[in-house]
Amino acid sequence: MYLFKKISGLRQFLESYRSKNRAIGFVPTMGALHKGHLSLIEQSLASTQCTVGSIFVNPTQFNEAADLEKYPRAPAQDLAMLYKAGCHAVFMPSPEEVYPQGLDTSVALDFGALSKPMEGKFRPGHFDGVAQVVKRLLDIVEPDKLFMGQKDYQQYLIVRHMAQALSLPTEVVVCPIVREKNGLAMSSRNERLSPEQREQAAALYQTLQQVEKWMGKHPPREVEQKALQALQQPGLEPEYFQLVDGQALQPVSDYESPTSIVACAAIWVGGVRLIDNMILK
Ligand code: PAF
């Protein structure tokens, strides 16, 4: 496995694959890797000839300085995990390499309704930062396939929209959520939870499972209310719970007309914000 901190070295390495028409897969991460990230690496290894992972804690997608500061970092462990997984190359740039002075890296795209609800509402500016860094990384790596986790469902739709709108030559592949034994969705932020909080946080997945059973029996708004009530437990603070159309992210008003329905939620456990979702239809 090769480690690159500079764009020039990475591009030179990738050229040897590109010139032989070998497909390049890309897994962008912010480090503090877990089995969820490794499942993306595995998917990439299975369907491309060269897998590049990146580790970059992107400052522009944090709407709170304290959240950026507290974001877990474990570079040595991350590199060992990527090496063991069989990753071909890792890009670990500095902020100056990603955002050099004088280079306009902003993405002039209106994500419209996709960026307004849920994460967009509670983390203003977050998706502009995500789009900015993903576009910049795609410009650098130029992968054939980009692998994203379903856990960040709204992020996946935003990135897919960007790839379509800008006619990027990259296929965006979404990969299933990987969960802990108790159902808690794997997340780098879980590292900040105590063992007790990890158990409490499992209520989010249990509620999503419960919602699957309520669906059809109660109207969508009522199901959302019931889910929020179910999450009113000691140590938990639900932020939102919404049943949305899986393509447009608009609230669904019935279960028949939308072709896909996703339940999306965010909760606070102590000072840690967690998100999760379930594709219901
Ligand atoms: O999902 C993440 O870890 C980040 O939002 C991403 C896609 C790596 C961009 O910084």
Side-chain angles (χ1 to χ4, degrees):
M1 183 178 83
Y2 292 85
L3 168 62
F4 298 100
K5 296 197 169 186
K6 297 280 180 202
I7 297 169
S8 51
L10 174 67
R11 288 187 64 93
Q12 211 177 340
F13 168 81
L14 291 175
E15 199 37 48
S16 61
Y17 284 87
R18 237 187 296 277
S19 61
K20 293 185 194 106
N21 275 328
R22 302 221 164 122
I24 295 167
F26 180 44
V27 179
T29 83
M30 296 207 295
L33 302 183
H34 48 72
K35 286 188 189 144
H37 293 115
L38 294 185
S39 78
L40 304 182
I41 297 283
E42 279 161 24
Q43 287 254 14
S44 175
L45 288 170
S47 59
T48 65
Q49 280 80 53
C50 172
T51 292
V52 183
S54 68
I55 300 173
F56 179 64
V57 183
N58 173 37
T60 69
Q61 71 187 76
F62 287 83
N63 52 320
E64 280 177 23
D67 193 25
L68 169 62
E69 206 172 296
K70 280 191 229 149
Y71 200 83
R73 289 164 173 88
Q77 191 183 306
D78 291 344
L79 290 175
M81 284 168 82
L82 291 171
Y83 173 74
K84 208 167 153 218
C87 194
H88 296 87
V90 182
F91 184 44
M92 223 166 119
S94 64
E96 295 72 34
E97 191 73 0
V98 177
Y99 300 124
Q101 247 188 8
L103 182 71
D104 182 6
T105 53
S106 59
V107 174
L109 261 188
D110 182 8
F111 294 103
L114 280 184
S115 66
K116 302 246 164 14
M118 304 190 293
E119 293 306 286
K121 181 171 169 202
F122 288 96
R123 302 183 70 190
H126 170 64
F127 288 125
D128 292 333
V130 168
Q132 178 185 28
V133 76
V134 173
K135 172 68 169 53
R136 176 78 176 124
L137 291 169
L138 290 177
D139 285 347
I140 293 167
V141 179
E142 294 185 89
D144 297 279
K145 293 184 184 212
L146 168 69
F147 296 86
M148 316 261 335
Q150 185 205 310
K151 187 179 77 69
D152 297 284
Y153 190 81
Q154 193 171 5
Q155 166 174 278
Y156 152 65
L157 284 192
I158 296 266
V159 169
R160 192 183 70 174
H161 175 85
M162 176 172 77
Q164 281 165 357
L166 301 179
S167 304
L168 302 181
T170 301
E171 180 192 346
V172 184
V173 182
V174 67
C175 305
I177 299 174
V178 180
R179 298 183 180 279
E180 310 263 2
K181 264 204 191 103
N182 69 3
L184 174 63
M186 297 243 175
S187 163
S188 304
R189 291 172 192 270
N190 294 354
E191 287 191 17
R192 292 174 50 211
L193 300 174
S194 68
E196 192 195 350
Q197 287 173 323
R198 274 179 191 246
E199 283 315 310
Q200 290 170 331
L204 183 49
Y205 180 57
Q206 287 154 13
T207 305
L208 286 165
Q209 287 178 308
Q210 186 59 53
V211 160
E212 211 174 10
K213 293 182 190 136
W214 285 331
M215 193 189 150
K217 294 193 188 106
H218 306 274
R221 293 297 83 70
E222 204 177 304
V223 170
E224 290 170 354
Q225 284 313 313
K226 282 164 83 68
L228 286 169
Q229 270 162 23
L231 287 167
Q232 293 292 352
Q233 296 184 17
L236 305 186
E237 213 184 300
E239 197 165 68
Y240 66 78
F241 197 108
Q242 278 188 249
L243 299 191
V244 295
D245 176 295
Q247 300 302 318
L249 292 186
Q250 293 311 295
V252 294
S253 47
D254 65 89
Y255 300 108
E256 288 74 39
S257 39
T259 49
S260 84
I261 301 176
V262 187
C264 299
I267 61 168
W268 286 88
V269 185
V272 184
R273 188 173 182 278
L274 303 175
I275 60 171
D276 199 352
N277 65 76
M278 187 180 273
I279 298 174
L280 300 172
K281 179 180 170 187

